[in-house]
């Protein structure tokens, strides 16, 4: 199947700093990528839909100024957690569907963010 | 948006028995229903999926059924094995759109 690569897999940062997470589709073009957040033993909560060349669409309750999403190309979307706080510590995971609207979604490996 | 509910949240079965996980969805426009298996700290892996024009699909020990009228779908795992232990998520999606996930079921298969 198609491959989605997410980087970094783990990151520890200090409170108040920003962290950027990259999500790349390696062998297909993804006009749309999705960002999820997962707390321990909980489900994947959709944060936002990232559209290539346009603004992201955020789910209700997700702060767009806190979680900046950029989808500059058909193979790369980035999520930047700005001014991170300990409550932002979580597992962040991206997924993508290919340009031709394949039904299956492919997931990145996830990023474990710890804010200290 | 879509609302996906999943039951049960935890499920323990003896090795060799069957496991059934059920999900309901709210958006009648959803037409794609995948099931994912997630092991701790790893990405979800697609195990089986079904489209709205199909009522049942089977792949070896795994099967999924869909009732569009009632807006519910189920995952059936037969002859369970210890390696089936994981968290399972159902999801629902409109064509080309984001997936909305159920709350997850932690399955434990007891040897």
């Amino acid at each position: 199947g198609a491959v989605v690569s997410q980087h970094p897999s783990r990151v520890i940062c200090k409170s108040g700093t920003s962290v950027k997470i990259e999500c790349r589709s390696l062998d297909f073009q993804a006009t749309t990528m999705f960002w999820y957040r997962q707390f321990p033993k909980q489900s994947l909560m959709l944060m936002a839909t990232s559209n290539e060349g346009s603004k992201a669409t955020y789910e209700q309750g997700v702060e767009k100024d806190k979680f900046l999403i950029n989808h500059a190309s058909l193979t790369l979307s980035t999520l930047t957690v700005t001014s991170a706080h300990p409550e932002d510590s979580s597992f962040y995971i991206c997924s993508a569907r290919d340009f031709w609207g394949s039904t299956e979604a492919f997931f990145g490996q996830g990023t474990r963010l710890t804010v200290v | 948006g879509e609302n996906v509910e999943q039951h049960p949240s935890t499920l323990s079965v003896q090795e060799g028995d069957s496991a059934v996980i059920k999900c309901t969805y709210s958006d009648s426009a959803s037409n794609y229903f995948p099931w994912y298996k997630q092991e701790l700290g790893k990405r979800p892996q697609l195990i089986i999926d079904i489209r709205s024009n199909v009522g049942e699909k089977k792949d070896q020990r795994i099967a999924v059924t869909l009732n569009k009228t009632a807006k519910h779908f189920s995952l059936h795992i037969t002859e369970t094995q210890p390696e089936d232990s994981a968290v399972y998520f159902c999801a629902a999606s409109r064509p080309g759109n984001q997936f909305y996930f159920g709350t997850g079921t932690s399955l434990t298969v007891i040897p």
Side-chain angles (χ1 to χ4, degrees), chain B residues 8 28 105:
Chain B
S28 58
T105 297

Side-chain angles (χ1 to χ4, degrees), chain A residues 34-61:
Chain A
F34 309 103
W35 287 96
Y36 294 87
R37 182 174 182 175
Q38 187 175 33
F39 291 104
K41 298 185 179 180
Q42 293 190 26
S43 187
L44 294 94
M45 182 191 76
L46 180 67
M47 298 175 65
T49 300
S50 168
N51 302 296
E52 187 267 336
S54 65
K55 291 183 179 180
T57 303
Y58 290 82
E59 294 297 299
Q60 192 173 11

